[in-house]
Structure formats: C-alpha cells, structure tokens
C-alpha cells in the first residue's frame, strides 16, 4: 500500500516562495507518475504539475508555468514542488498524488496527465495561503 505525506505548506506574502515535500512509502511502480494538485474552497481540484519518474519529464498547468518546479529525489523517495512568485490565487490545499503510468504515452508524447480522476494514491494535503 502506498502512503503519501505532504509537508511544507504555510502562509506567505505575495511574491514569496515555499517548497512542498511529499514523502512516499510502500511500493510505487518504477514507471509511476507523480503529481501535485490543489483545491481552493468552492473550486474543483486541479492539476498543477506532474513528473514521469523514470525519465523525469515534467508538465505544468499554464497558471503555474515558469513559477513552480516539480522534482524528485529517488533516493529519499520524495517529491518536491518549489513555488516561487506566489500569488493570492495560489491559495489552496495542495495534494500529492501517484499513479502507474499508462502503457503508451498520450498523444503528443506525454506520459503523465494531470487529471485527478486517474490518480489512485493521495496524500492528506498541506495548506498554502498567500496574502496580498
């Protein structure tokens, strides 16, 4: 059974930075996708960033591209999300998630999607609040 535990959330002012961590325990397939999702009050959960573990290809939502960076430490089995230039609209609960990658890439060559319905394993979330 896979367990994911997020940490690193907090409160910052506009323009500040935070780094979220997600430590995984249990068995994760080597060909897994891991992603960060967020959900603000009254809004649907949205994908923020994803990484294909074997070759570390990454993908980002347009709203965070150029400001957020997803990365992993394979030795520590930890996923990170470096968030820079934070904005009030980034305020949300942030979740780490994992899934086994599909057997074939999606059209365009992408291995990992950012649809919450395809991810099987989820952490409990960590709150990020950005004040203006």
């Amino acid at each position: 059974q896979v367990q994911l535990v997020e940490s690193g959330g907090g409160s910052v002012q506009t323009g500040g930075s935070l780094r979220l961590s997600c430590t995984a325990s249990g068995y994760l397939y080597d060909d897994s996708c891991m992603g960060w999702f967020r959900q603000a009050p009254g809004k649907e959960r949205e994908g923020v960033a994803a990484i294909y573990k074997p070759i570390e290809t990454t993908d980002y939502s347009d709203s965070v591209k150029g400001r957020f960076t997803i990365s992993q430490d394979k030795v520590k089995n930890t996923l990170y999300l470096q968030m820079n230039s934070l904005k009030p609209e980034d305020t949300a609960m942030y979740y780490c998630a994992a899934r086994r990658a599909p057997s074939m890439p999606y059209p365009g060559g992408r291995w990992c999607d950012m649809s919450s319905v395809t991810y099987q394993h989820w952490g409990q979330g960590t709150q990020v609040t950005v004040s203006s």
Side-chain angles (χ1 to χ4, degrees):
Q1 184 164 347
V2 176
Q3 287 190 320
L4 303 173
V5 179
E6 304 96 335
S7 62
S11 296
V12 296
Q13 292 189 325
T14 297
S17 298
L18 283 173
R19 188 176 81 156
L20 305 184
S21 300
C22 170
T23 301
S25 60
Y27 181 73
L28 268 178
Y29 289 100
D30 290 338
D31 58 343
S32 289
C33 295
M34 294 197 74
W36 287 99
F37 294 77
R38 67 186 181 186
Q39 188 166 20
K43 294 189 176 181
E44 292 188 356
R45 190 170 296 189
E46 65 167 338
V48 172
I51 186 167
Y52 180 47
K53 287 177 62 67
I55 56 175
E56 299 186 314
T57 52
T58 58
D59 200 11
Y60 299 90
S61 66
D62 289 342
S63 60
V64 306
K65 200 171 294 183
R67 301 187 297 122
F68 290 10
T69 303
I70 188 171
S71 63
Q72 65 174 350
D73 184 324
K74 291 183 178 180
V75 174
K76 295 182 179 179
N77 223 12
T78 300
L79 181 74
Y80 301 101
L81 184 69
Q82 178 66 43
M83 305 186 296
N84 298 328
S85 302
L86 283 161
K87 306 174 181 180
E89 51 263 45
D90 295 318
T91 295
M93 185 72 78
Y94 282 71
Y95 298 91
C96 169
R99 59 161 291 186
R100 191 170 187 183
S103 56
M104 296 285 290
Y106 293 100
R110 182 185 301 172
W111 283 99
C112 299
D113 65 312
M114 289 191 288
S115 171
S116 61
V117 298
T118 64
Y119 284 72
Q120 295 94 21
H121 309 290
W122 291 86
Q124 293 300 307
T126 185
Q127 178 68 38
V128 171
T129 302
V130 185
S131 59
S132 57

